[in-house]
Amino acid sequence: MNAADLGKDLVGLEPLSAAQITAILDTAEPFKEVSERPIKKVPALRGKTIVNLFFEPSTRTRISFEFAEKRLSADTVNVQAAGSSVSKGETLVDTARNLEAMRIDMVVIRHGSSGAAQFLGQRIRSNVINAGDGTHEHPTQGLLDLLTLRDRFGKIAGLKVCIVGDVLHSRVARSNIWGLTKLGAEVAVCGPSTLLPSHVADLGVTVFGRVEEAIQWADALNVLRLQLERMTAGFIPSLREYNRVFGVTSERLSRAPKDLLILHPGPMNRGVEIDSDVADGPHSVILPQVTNGVAVRMAVLYLLAGGSPDWANAGGEA
Ligand code: CP
């Protein structure tokens, strides 16, 4: 199969090959430049209609997808659960089928239930892109993290990346683990045992129980938000205690053998999983991650619509 053929839907990085992931990252490269132009628009998806169906709150992902769609000249509609007929009890599939009756081409979906994107993709003709489903995957976040690491290190293979914090509730962690391991990185997770999935080592990752060990080992830390809204029981004694034991602080980083690249998918709990002087410090790429998110989402939309990965040489700069 052609590496740039992603199939109908993007539900996660687990089903993708290393070649497919690399094709998305390579396709994102020329799209970065589009966002730096005075007129940030190319005609690649002119005539396509895309619905952004967000059933959970989002700042970065929703706005980034909308920018990506508009910069590719697609027509876009945003639907949120509140204010739509979902709030009257309409099912997800009925909502999507009604949208399809208006002749749409793609659906970008964020949903609180793991598996929602795949469920929808199997029931409608339009391409479906997972913008985060429960605790399952957040593939475009994983892809933008990979692109940011590749920008800074020039490669993914051989990098040591540790994902720190609430891995249990994190779809970002799962997409990162799949993407990084497929591209040949060494991956570790670090956090309190209550916030690490049982059998996480079966995913091919090293497990650190102390953040100091992770800092000694890693080239980059991807620091996760404590997902307090998904915690149904007392997973940690207190936020203050979490920061004291697992917080990524400049004092801890000062004892690292090298400067570590710091990533965070956002939104951040400053002073809990990450201190402000680290988040805003010279080794943080948290805002470049957000910038790369637009290019990665342009690449995913473009490839799912059947575009060639050689977009820039195929007249895309005209
Ligand atoms: N990283 C991420 O998914 O952020 P949002 O929840 O703001 O979209």
Side-chain angles (χ1 to χ4, degrees):
M1 187 170 60
N2 172 4
D5 181 355
L6 305 181
K8 183 173 98 54
D9 306 319
L10 178 70
V11 297
L13 298 191
E14 181 181 3
L16 298 190
S17 66
Q20 287 172 311
I21 294 171
T22 302
I24 298 170
L25 302 183
D26 291 346
T27 305
E29 288 295 343
F31 282 130
K32 287 178 184 172
E33 184 267 332
V34 173
S35 293
E36 305 305 323
R37 297 180 186 179
I39 298 173
K40 300 171 178 49
K41 225 172 185 47
V42 292
L45 291 192
R46 192 158 55 200
K48 298 283 185 194
T49 303
I50 305 176
V51 176
N52 300 313
L53 202 51
F54 276 68
F55 292 95
E56 277 193 336
S58 169
T59 297
R60 277 146 291 272
T61 311
R62 187 181 59 76
I63 295 171
S64 175
F65 264 113
E66 197 175 344
F67 277 140
E69 292 153 4
K70 288 186 188 317
R71 288 174 194 180
L72 292 170
S73 305
D75 297 314
T76 68
V77 176
N78 295 322
V79 180
Q80 289 171 339
S84 78
S85 290
V86 171
S87 63
K88 299 182 203 165
E90 187 168 64
T91 67
L92 173 61
V93 172
D94 278 339
T95 298
R97 286 191 178 140
N98 276 275
L99 294 168
E100 279 207 308
M102 297 181 229
R103 304 290 180 254
I104 62 167
D105 299 292
M106 292 187 178
V107 175
V108 177
I109 179 168
R110 169 166 288 195
H111 200 281
S113 299
S114 301
Q118 184 172 357
F119 178 83
L120 188 63
Q122 290 166 343
R123 284 162 179 80
I124 63 173
R125 287 185 307 277
S126 306
N127 304 102
V128 172
I129 301 174
N130 181 5
D133 62 331
T135 59
H136 171 231
E137 281 220 41
H138 190 348
T140 56
Q141 179 69 44
L143 289 163
L144 73 88
D145 292 344
L146 289 170
L147 188 62
T148 308
L149 287 164
R150 197 174 77 164
D151 285 350
R152 299 299 156 139
F153 292 102
K155 59 171 190 173
I156 301 292
L159 280 183
K160 291 180 173 177
V161 182
C162 185
I163 301 164
V164 182
D166 184 0
V167 179
L168 182 68
H169 298 101
S170 178
R171 52 201 178 203
V172 174
R174 279 164 191 75
S175 288
N176 265 267
I177 291 170
W178 288 118
L180 287 163
T181 53
K182 281 170 191 273
L183 295 194
E186 289 184 57
V187 185
V189 295
C190 174
S193 56
T194 50
L195 292 179
L196 297 180
S198 54
H199 309 298
V200 67
D202 293 350
L203 296 176
V205 303
T206 301
V207 179
F208 291 116
R210 296 182 64 242
V211 71
E212 291 81 3
E213 289 177 302
I215 287 170
Q216 288 297 312
W217 175 86
D219 298 309
L221 298 183
N222 198 343
V223 187
L224 300 176
R225 181 173 73 87
L226 279 191
Q227 298 199 28
L228 301 170
E229 77 280 14
R230 293 192 207 277
M231 293 188 190
T232 51
F235 288 85
I236 52 169
S238 69
L239 298 183
R240 196 167 149 193
E241 179 78 355
Y242 182 86
N243 179 258
R244 194 180 66 74
V245 180
F246 285 100
V248 176
T249 63
S250 51
E251 199 271 323
R252 285 199 165 106
L253 290 174
S254 70
R255 288 191 237 121
K258 59 189 143 189
D259 291 331
L260 270 63
L261 200 72
I262 304 296
L263 300 94
H264 192 304
M268 288 183 276
N269 295 308
R270 288 174 180 265
V272 181
E273 70 266 3
I274 189 165
D275 280 2
S276 277
D277 52 356
V278 175
D280 303 328
H283 306 299
S284 165
V285 286
I286 295 169
L287 291 177
Q289 285 175 267
V290 178
T291 305
N292 275 342
V294 178
V296 152
R297 290 173 177 124
M298 289 172 82
V300 167
L301 292 161
Y302 175 73
L303 291 175
L304 283 179
S308 155
D310 201 15
W311 168 77
N313 296 326
E317 296 193 75

